Amino acid sequence: MAFEGLAERLQGTIQKIKGKGKVSEQDVKEMMREVRFALIEADVNLKVVKEFVKKVSERAVGIDVMKSLTPGQQVIKIVQDELTTLMGGEQSPIKFSNRPPTVIMMVGLQGAGKTTTTGKLANVLRKKYNKKPLLVAADVYRPAAVQQLQTLGKQLSLPVFALGTDISPVEIARQAIEHAKEEHHDVVLIDTAGRLHIDEQLMQELKDIRALKEPDEVFLVVDSMTGQDAVNVAQSFNEAVGITGVVLTKLDGDTRGGAALSIRAVTEKPIKFVGMGEKMDALEPFYPDRMASRILG
Ligand code: GDP
């Protein structure tokens, strides 16, 4: 299960302080040392860990003994609040254009789950938002990505715009947006090319697609199992192309949690959705408060 190690360690730490009617500075210090270890072990970015520990410590030392919660409970609440803030606070909704079609670019490295997530997101858009999405197969480099999207489209009974792989992704995207206007699709979901590594050509291509029609959203799809690599990837994509949100995939696996806890703080971009499996209905909005509760048990 995701976050298992982190949850176990934090919950153990919390048990110790929970019933305390008085919390000394030493108690807070000891607890924060354990929290710090737990976060580092979960592969959370070091700078993020430091800032988190500092914030919680400052607040915990100044707790109000007169409140209805015991001091121990107050400290736990502070940890929970700060974890929620760390992951972005509120759930971040999809931004739609008031002049349709809304254009959503899906970007990411190969294997992160970009094509799968494109299908899942189209499914969410239709089911929950009543939209008429057009899927666009612009990942011309990964063998079979175009076919994969077409198969997903068939499975979902949703149209896929594809022009093969001998044409540039920018041209595919351009024609797709025109096609969407003619056919009254209100959302265009572009599955852009991914590569094994970040390189100049990939970033340039994404910028060229961006320049066609300012996208309403640029979602970076990253694999939560890759921990700090996912955070670095997010930072690079954000600097080079500009992203508006992140989709964290494979949270159904046994990821330690580092990516989920660091990405927002490092990139200042919200995690919008999480992938919870391979099936087309396994995409959920990301709720920082629920995630924090889950981690703290
Ligand atoms: P792309 O190269 O980024 O387009 O990656 P794909 O969409 O082909 O996904 C790579 C693999 O990850 C596939 O086997 C997907 O089924 C799998 N995958 C994608 N998202 C998830 C997820 O949220 N959970 C799990 N368990 N597998 C996923």
Side-chain angles (χ1 to χ4, degrees):
M1 202 191 91
F3 303 104
E4 198 164 18
L6 178 64
E8 209 171 282
R9 291 199 62 156
L10 288 182
Q11 285 166 25
T13 310
I14 273 168
Q15 276 309 323
K16 288 188 206 160
I17 209 160
K18 203 171 187 175
K20 290 207 175 190
K22 221 173 137 238
V23 178
S24 68
E25 219 175 306
Q26 189 57 28
D27 290 333
V28 171
K29 239 189 195 156
E30 264 168 39
M31 178 187 180
M32 291 322 293
R33 193 166 47 226
E34 288 179 39
V35 167
R36 189 168 161 270
F37 271 129
L39 292 174
I40 289 171
E41 229 177 56
D43 200 20
V44 177
N45 175 287
L46 272 180
K47 207 171 144 236
V48 172
V49 174
K50 258 192 178 162
E51 276 167 25
F52 180 80
V53 166
K54 188 165 164 254
K55 263 197 198 160
V56 174
S57 305
E58 278 169 8
R59 284 185 60 190
V61 167
I63 50 171
D64 181 356
V65 239
M66 302 303 287
K67 284 215 178 120
S68 56
L69 296 172
T70 67
Q73 285 168 332
Q74 287 185 52
V75 175
I76 294 164
K77 176 140 193 333
I78 293 169
V79 174
Q80 172 139 11
D81 284 355
E82 292 296 338
L83 267 184
T84 305
T85 306
L86 184 63
M87 289 186 282
E90 299 281 298
Q91 198 269 326
S92 176
I94 303 176
K95 185 175 159 245
F96 292 104
S97 170
N98 40 25
R99 292 182 54 211
T102 293
V103 174
I104 302 178
M105 271 175 77
M106 306 296 287
V107 305
L109 294 182
Q110 267 180 29
K114 184 174 49 58
T115 302
T116 309
T117 304
T118 305
K120 288 178 183 174
L121 186 57
N123 196 27
V124 167
L125 287 166
R126 179 180 53 184
K127 276 195 174 155
K128 294 213 176 119
Y129 295 87
N130 230 348
K131 299 286 183 192
K132 196 182 160 212
L134 179 67
L135 291 157
V136 182
D139 184 352
V140 298
Y141 302 121
R142 179 163 67 79
V146 170
Q147 209 184 349
Q148 186 185 341
L149 195 67
Q150 282 171 323
T151 306
L152 292 177
K154 235 184 229 144
Q155 198 183 319
L156 296 166
S157 303
L158 284 172
V160 175
F161 186 91
L163 296 173
T165 55
D166 296 331
I167 171 167
S168 88
V170 184
E171 184 55 23
I172 296 173
R174 193 188 65 73
Q175 291 195 30
I177 294 169
E178 285 311 308
H179 179 82
K181 284 181 190 159
E182 283 159 18
E183 300 288 321
H184 305 291
H185 288 281
D186 42 16
V187 185
V188 182
L189 262 179
I190 308 173
D191 184 21
T192 66
R195 277 176 215 253
L196 289 175
H197 303 285
I198 290 166
D199 63 40
E200 196 41 49
Q201 196 190 342
L202 169 65
M203 293 303 180
Q204 190 53 51
E205 197 171 280
L206 295 175
K207 281 187 226 172
D208 291 344
I209 295 178
R210 252 205 105 123
L212 289 171
K213 178 181 186 297
E214 185 55 27
D216 302 281
E217 296 276 19
V218 179
F219 288 160
L220 173 72
V221 180
V222 285
D223 180 345
S224 64
M225 300 291 289
T226 62
Q228 286 316 290
D229 271 348
V231 180
N232 295 336
V233 166
Q235 205 170 7
S236 302
F237 269 87
N238 193 35
E239 280 164 11
V241 199
I243 61 172
T244 60
V246 173
V247 181
L248 257 189
T249 62
K250 309 182 195 179
L251 223 69
D252 52 312
D254 58 358
T255 169
R256 283 186 285 163
L261 288 163
S262 317
I263 275 187
R264 169 64 194 236
V266 172
T267 63
E268 291 181 358
K269 295 294 153 66
I271 298 171
K272 297 233 179 186
F273 289 95
V274 287
M276 298 299 292
E278 298 191 80
K279 298 221 175 84
M280 281 299 105
D281 58 0
L283 186 73
E284 297 173 7
F286 180 70
Y287 291 96
D289 54 345
R290 290 185 201 171
M291 191 58 81
S293 304
R294 200 173 120 189
I295 294 170
L296 294 177

